[in-house]
């Protein structure tokens, strides 16, 4: 099993450009999450999904959109990138049953100039 | 909403010395507690978790943590650290709504 994978690993954007980050998991997990990690602030939840076709806002959703068209994929979109969105983005997944930990991808380092 | 406080942002410690990384959380009816480790340029990996039962939880790489309900704490300990333990450590709380809340992290540096 590959676990949780993220594409791309690195990306540099100019202000105003758009892009989509892809997260894929092969563990048949119902729940998927997008976080951003910034120095001194830990992980902050952007959006999450509790199942195919459903999404919900997390702590810092502004400027981002998400879609979960297939159970194994969770896409994070930036329609008009801003320098404040420079960060490391992590995707995670977890099964629905029980109180289980989240499984994390390796991260995407995004720089917005 | 839950909150998680990691009291130390940076902890330097000499190799083979003991270490304690502190974590406190806001009280709730039921919470589930986790410690994750993040090595440089990698994602987070689970170290250990407390769901119920014994308050002393043992994890991977010789780490353990103790759940203290009265003090709302879940401190992480290791009796003898190695260079390879240098990493960022995150405490997290899972509430009954299945939402995770992470602390701001503690950077552990092991000095040779």
């Amino acid at each position: 099993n590959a676990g949780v994978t993220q594409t791309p690993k690195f990306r540099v954007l100019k202000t105003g450009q758009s892009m989509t980050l892809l997260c894929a998991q092969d563990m048949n997990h119902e729940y998927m999450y997008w976080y951003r990690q910034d120095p001194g602030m830990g992980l902050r939840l952007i959006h999450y999904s509790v199942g195919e076709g459903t999404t919900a806002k997390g702590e810092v959703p502004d400027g981002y959109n998400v879609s979960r068209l297939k159970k194994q994929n969770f896409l994070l979109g930036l329609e008009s990138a801003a320098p404040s969105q420079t960060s490391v983005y992590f995707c995670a997944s977890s099964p629905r049953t029980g109180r289980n930990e989240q499984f994390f991808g390796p991260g995407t380092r995004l720089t917005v100039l | 909403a839950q909150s998680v406080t990691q009291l130390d942002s940076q902890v330097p410690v000499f190799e083979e010395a003991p270490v304690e990384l502190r974590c406190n959380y806001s009280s709730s009816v039921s919470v589930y507690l986790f410690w994750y480790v993040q090595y440089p340029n990698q994602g987070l990996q689970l170290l250990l978790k407390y769901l119920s039962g014994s308050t002393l939880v043992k994890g991977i790489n010789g780490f353990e943590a103790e759940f203290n309900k009265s003090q709302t704490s879940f401190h992480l300990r290791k009796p003898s650290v190695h260079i390879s333990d240098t990493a960022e450590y995150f405490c997290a709380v899972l509430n009954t709504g299945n939402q995770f809340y992470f602390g701001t992290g503690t950077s552990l540096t092991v000095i040779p």
Side-chain angles (χ1 to χ4, degrees), chain B residues 62-77:
Chain B
F63 283 93
E64 63 181 32
E66 186 158 16
F67 170 57
N68 188 319
K69 188 174 182 179
S70 63
Q71 296 186 4
T72 61
S73 67
F74 191 54
H75 300 333
L76 180 70
R77 303 185 184 100

Side-chain angles (χ1 to χ4, degrees), chain A residues 31 37 45 90 101-102, chain B residues 36 38 49 90 98-100:
Chain A
Y31 293 172
Q37 184 182 29
L45 183 64
F90 287 100
E101 71 268 23
Q102 294 183 344
Chain B
Y36 283 86
Q38 183 182 31
K49 62 183 176 183
F90 291 93
N98 215 50
Q99 188 151 359
F100 274 85

Side-chain angles (χ1 to χ4, degrees), chain A residues 16-95:
Chain A
Q17 288 185 317
S18 63
M19 77 163 295
T20 300
L21 281 68
L22 171 64
C23 175
Q25 53 94 4
D26 61 2
M27 297 174 283
N28 202 34
H29 287 169
E30 288 82 5
Y31 293 172
M32 296 187 75
Y33 311 80
W34 275 108
Y35 293 91
R36 59 177 289 172
Q37 184 182 29
D38 302 291
M41 303 189 75
L43 276 77
R44 292 182 292 169
L45 183 64
I46 304 171
H47 286 280
Y48 64 100
S49 169
V50 299
E52 183 179 319
T54 69
T55 63
K57 294 180 180 180
E59 181 185 359
V60 287
D62 295 342
Y64 305 95
N65 56 76
V66 288
S67 64
R68 183 106 181 261
L69 299 179
K70 294 182 178 181
K71 185 177 184 179
Q72 63 268 34
N73 296 337
F74 195 30
L75 279 62
L76 178 71
L78 287 73
E79 291 187 346
S80 179
S84 60
Q85 294 178 303
T86 293
S87 187
V88 181
Y89 292 86
F90 287 100
C91 176
S93 71
S94 66

Side-chain angles (χ1 to χ4, degrees), chain B residues 68-107:
Chain B
N68 188 319
K69 188 174 182 179
S70 63
Q71 296 186 4
T72 61
S73 67
F74 191 54
H75 300 333
L76 180 70
R77 303 185 184 100
K78 186 170 182 177
S80 175
V81 295
H82 301 286
I83 296 290
S84 59
D85 292 324
T86 293
E88 190 88 12
Y89 291 80
F90 291 93
C91 181
V93 165
L94 174 64
N95 67 8
T96 51
N98 215 50
Q99 188 151 359
F100 274 85
Y101 296 87
F102 286 86
T104 53
T106 296
S107 178

